[in-house]
Amino acid sequence: MIPVAFDYVRPESVDAAVALLGERGEDASVLAGGHSLLPLMKLRFAAPELLIDIGRLEELQYLRLDGDEIAIGAGTRHTTLEASELLDTECPLLPAVARTVGDPQVRHRGTLGGSLAHADPASDLPAAVLALDGTVVLRGPRGARRVPLTGFYTGVFSSVKEPDELLVEVRVPRTGAAGWAYEKFTRRANDWAIVAVAVVDGWVGLVNMGPTPLRASATEAALAGGASIEEAAALADEGTDPPADSAGSTEYRRHLARLLTRRALTTAGR
Amino acid sequence: MKVHITVNGVPADTDVEPRLLLVHYLRDTLGLTATNVGCDTSSCGACTVLVDGESVKSCTVLTVQADGTDITTLEGLSPSPDELHPMAAAFRQEHGLQCGFCTPGMVMAAVGLLEEHPRPTEREVREGLKGNLCRCTGYHNIVRAVLRASGQDPDAAPDLVAPGFSTGSGT
Ligand SMILES: Cc1cc2nc3c(=O)[nH]c(=O)nc-3n(C[C@H](O)[C@H](O)[C@H](O)COP(=O)(O)OP(=O)(O)OC[C@H]3O[C@@H](n4cnc5c(N)ncnc54)[C@H](O)[C@@H]3O)c2cc1C
Ligand code: FES
Ligand code: FES
């Protein structure tokens, strides 16, 4: 399968990439790891006229403490998250979730920014950053803005990011020793999650339980109000709108959300 | 677009179309046909090569993205057929292949795995090769081969007899 022909540029800096996006945003696509975009282009579901390759921009590849938060460059690869000692101590949920993405080859290429920008509700990292109450930093011709992930997604493959904006940074809180767990349910090695649940410090993020990654708000409220794990987990599918497909029915996904939330809360010790 | 890529130690400057996939550059432009195309959808791993030492699926990488890199394919792994790379030798010794279609990708993924985990457990071998499908062997002998190539005795690996596989968990 061969993509439709396109032009390709590799800007030397974030400024240059942002300027190019400003000029060509409507018919250009940012190329990061390419592990969501290239498969779509090969199937000709996507046919951008221009690819702006940010995959080599070291400016976007960093992981550092910044006050109460950890600032992660959008170009940071899944492999780097997996191996980060900083994250292992400061935000252990993130590397654990990164380890469950695809396979080593995919993780050598895919990036955190690409994963969040792609806005696939079946992706692992968006729900994890959502459970962490993280923020993304966007840069475009009108300047930079911070958007909390709770307000970022608008639907399947869509977000409030404008076509001329570059996702430059992801910010997550330092959760340190707070309890956490990630329960990803698949039928075969290497599959995407049928449903997955990320828990950290009493916050709960859901994968594949609606058109966007979701927070299990009813569960979180119940926990905050002193409910037991069993009681709180029984509310995990409240307010969700799970898809039905060959991997499972809506009802099955609701069951999984409740079950995996109970397991994750138990592992996390709340 | 002009690219400068070193494949198996041989540098080359080539003019390529941006949409040329790396696997097609290797197979069609350079004639290095050990690297196979199986699924063409980044699922099977048959097209796995090492880019700057890391395993990647070359059906999902553009040649222009590999500009300036150093690539190793199966052809570049062993010095000669009489002097096999330890991983290739272990695959032969443990009978880690049948039809051989998955083998170039499997061997390259395994070499990449040992770069990152020099002495993997049996479980880590299975996790590390989960991006590579084999329709023949049932994986058992492939896992043995990788353990052997890492200098471990596959018969001494305690959980080799009962390979379990479960999904990710927080702990
Ligand atoms: C076989 C396979 C299995 C996979 N399994 C999983 C899995 O189990 N779980 C999972 O979560 N993911 C999985 N993935 C997806 C993988 O994690 C992707 O790498 C990731 O979703 C996208 O990251 P990328 O850097 O490759 O983005 P790209 O493919 O380069 O880009 C994806 C989209 O985001 C846009 N984009 C990228 N970066 C930016 C940026 N900085 N600013 C603005 N827009 C940007 C692009 O324009 C494009 O529209 C799998 C992929 C494959 C091929
Ligand atoms: S051909 Fe590349 S992964 Fe199957
Ligand atoms: S040996 Fe035939 S597919 Fe692996």
Side-chain angles (χ1 to χ4, degrees):
Chain A
M1 295 174 296
I2 317 276
V4 176
F6 52 83
D7 292 326
Y8 171 92
V9 280
R10 201 158 55 224
E12 299 285 322
S13 66
V14 170
D15 286 344
V18 170
L20 251 173
L21 264 181
E23 287 162 31
R24 298 283 304 272
E26 291 297 336
D27 45 44
S29 280
V30 171
L31 177 69
H35 269 51
S36 290
L37 183 55
L38 293 177
L40 290 177
M41 289 174 62
K42 288 174 68 180
L43 292 166
R44 302 203 169 188
F45 291 147
E49 288 175 18
L50 173 70
L51 283 189
I52 303 174
D53 187 356
I54 58 163
R56 301 273 185 93
L57 286 179
E58 284 180 17
E59 254 183 283
L60 290 177
Q61 297 173 20
Y62 56 85
L63 244 164
R64 58 175 174 249
L65 290 179
D66 188 359
D68 292 343
E69 293 183 313
I70 306 159
I72 309 173
T76 305
R77 298 178 306 153
H78 304 329
T79 319
T80 310
L81 300 178
E82 270 182 77
S84 162
E85 285 176 18
L86 176 74
L87 287 179
D88 264 344
T89 44
E90 298 289 347
C91 189
L93 173 69
L94 217 48
V97 172
R99 272 175 218 123
T100 74
V101 172
D103 52 54
Q105 291 97 316
V106 171
R107 301 198 295 272
H108 286 146
R109 302 292 303 179
T111 66
L112 179 60
S115 218
L116 297 198
H118 191 55
D120 182 341
S123 277
D124 298 292
L125 287 159
V129 176
L130 187 68
L132 284 161
D133 232 1
T135 308
V136 292
V137 183
L138 305 176
R139 265 190 62 187
R142 294 163 304 283
R145 57 179 179 140
R146 288 186 180 196
V147 183
L149 219 62
T150 46
F152 185 64
Y153 293 112
T154 52
V156 181
F157 301 127
S158 61
S159 70
V160 301
K161 185 183 78 57
E162 299 291 343
D164 60 4
E165 284 183 307
L166 189 67
L167 202 167
V168 290
E169 188 174 273
V170 179
R171 303 179 66 87
V172 292
R174 299 168 65 175
T175 59
W180 61 274
Y182 190 58
E183 286 287 339
K184 176 173 178 176
F185 194 84
T186 60
R187 285 203 189 287
R188 301 171 303 188
N190 223 15
D191 273 352
W192 293 69
I194 299 173
V195 172
V197 176
V199 161
V200 59
D201 208 9
W203 292 338
V204 184
L206 304 173
V207 175
N208 225 358
M209 284 299 289
T212 67
L214 293 171
R215 286 273 285 270
S217 317
T219 298
E220 292 175 347
L223 287 173
S228 69
I229 286 178
E230 283 69 25
E231 291 163 345
L235 306 173
D237 62 319
E238 222 172 73
T240 64
D241 182 15
D245 56 29
S246 58
S249 65
T250 301
E251 199 34 59
Y252 180 57
R253 282 201 164 84
R254 287 183 179 280
H255 162 75
L256 280 178
R258 296 188 297 263
L259 177 80
L260 298 175
T261 299
R262 177 159 58 75
R263 285 188 191 161
L265 287 172
T266 307
T267 304
R270 285 178 63 183
Chain B
M1 186 183 158
K2 283 249 183 306
V3 290
H4 176 85
I5 302 177
T6 302
V7 180
N8 300 331
V10 183
D13 291 289
T14 324
D15 203 0
V16 299
E17 239 195 306
R19 64 172 164 172
L20 182 70
L21 298 171
L22 181 59
V23 70
H24 294 144
Y25 174 72
L26 296 171
R27 289 180 58 88
D28 303 341
T29 309
L30 299 184
L32 295 170
T33 52
T35 307
N36 284 328
V37 179
C39 64
D40 205 7
T41 57
S42 55
S43 305
C44 74
C47 63
T48 301
V49 300
L50 300 182
V51 175
D52 289 335
E54 288 180 333
S55 59
V56 304
K57 293 175 174 174
S58 60
C59 72
T60 310
V61 177
L62 301 170
T63 310
V64 288
Q65 285 178 290
D67 185 20
T69 63
D70 206 327
I71 294 177
T72 311
T73 70
L74 190 80
E75 287 96 337
L77 196 64
S78 299
S80 81
D82 305 320
E83 207 184 325
L84 291 181
H85 180 278
M87 187 62 73
F91 266 67
R92 184 162 75 181
Q93 184 178 348
E94 292 295 336
H95 202 71
L97 62 150
Q98 288 176 29
C99 81
F101 186 84
C102 70
T103 311
M106 195 68 84
V107 168
M108 297 317 288
V111 171
L113 172 68
L114 292 197
E115 285 287 321
E116 287 164 21
H117 302 277
R119 282 181 75 81
T121 62
E122 179 262 344
R123 172 66 173 242
E124 285 169 340
V125 173
R126 288 179 186 274
E127 296 269 0
L129 295 181
K130 72 179 183 170
N132 293 72
L133 301 181
C134 174
R135 297 285 83 149
C136 301
T137 63
Y139 302 100
H140 189 80
N141 287 353
I142 292 176
V143 176
R144 289 181 60 92
V146 179
L147 289 170
R148 181 167 300 285
S150 71
Q152 306 180 83
D153 176 2
D155 291 314
D159 50 355
L160 193 63
V161 266
F165 205 101
S166 69
T167 52
S169 167
T171 43

